Amino acid sequence: MTMSVEQLWSLPETALVGAYAEARRRYAEKKFERDTHRARLEWMRAKLFVNTPGNVTERKMAVDVSEELARKGQEVREMTRDLDMLKIEVDVIDTMIRLRGAHGAPPVHAEEAAGKPAEPEGE
């Protein structure tokens, strides 16, 4: 995360909303990049499968043992991990915003509530 929870809690509301928007933007960009790499990897697997001679089992084995595809698959897994970290950051900021919204109204004390006359119910 770019900021600690304490720093997020002390931010003004407008800055917190800005940080949330920035985190969501970064998350969307990384997700698009990851999905693009994932689709490219699937395309490379399909291309290798089609261009490899032999029966289905031999083709599948050729795809499974390809070092280039394994390396690309590892890159996609690492991108997924980074994406999960960004999602956590978005969720933490979202939680901060929700908590602040929940504390927006001052608490009602029992003495104040008891001192007010009861409102008549509508007929």
Side-chain angles (χ1 to χ4, degrees):
M1 273 183 41
T2 57
M3 287 193 248
S4 70
V5 174
E6 291 81 19
Q7 289 173 328
L8 287 172
W9 188 256
S10 64
L11 279 179
E13 197 166 316
T14 55
L16 187 62
V17 171
Y20 176 73
E22 175 65 20
R24 292 274 313 221
R25 183 192 61 76
R26 284 186 289 132
Y27 174 75
E29 286 176 356
K30 286 286 188 181
K31 186 172 184 180
F32 179 76
E33 182 181 348
R34 192 265 327 250
D35 291 346
T36 302
H37 282 286
R38 182 182 285 167
R40 191 173 293 133
L41 176 62
E42 289 300 318
W43 176 255
M44 290 171 68
R45 284 182 178 153
K47 188 176 172 183
L48 181 62
F49 181 82
V50 170
N51 292 332
T52 303
N55 61 23
V56 173
T57 304
E58 291 170 346
R59 291 176 178 195
K60 283 185 179 180
M61 287 298 293
V63 171
D64 290 342
V65 299
S66 171
E67 288 184 22
E68 180 183 1
L69 294 178
R71 184 178 46 80
K72 295 274 187 191
Q74 180 62 33
E75 289 174 8
V76 170
R77 285 188 292 278
E78 289 171 3
M79 292 175 84
T80 300
R81 182 193 144 307
D82 295 341
L83 186 66
D84 290 343
M85 297 305 287
L86 280 173
K87 178 64 174 150
I88 290 169
E89 184 174 351
V90 169
D91 290 344
V92 165
I93 296 172
D94 182 49
T95 302
M96 289 290 169
I97 291 171
R98 289 176 190 265
L99 285 173
R100 284 187 175 186
H103 296 298
V108 177
H109 297 289
E111 303 87 42
E112 294 173 2
K116 294 182 182 176
E119 295 182 11
E121 294 182 15
E123 296 176 9

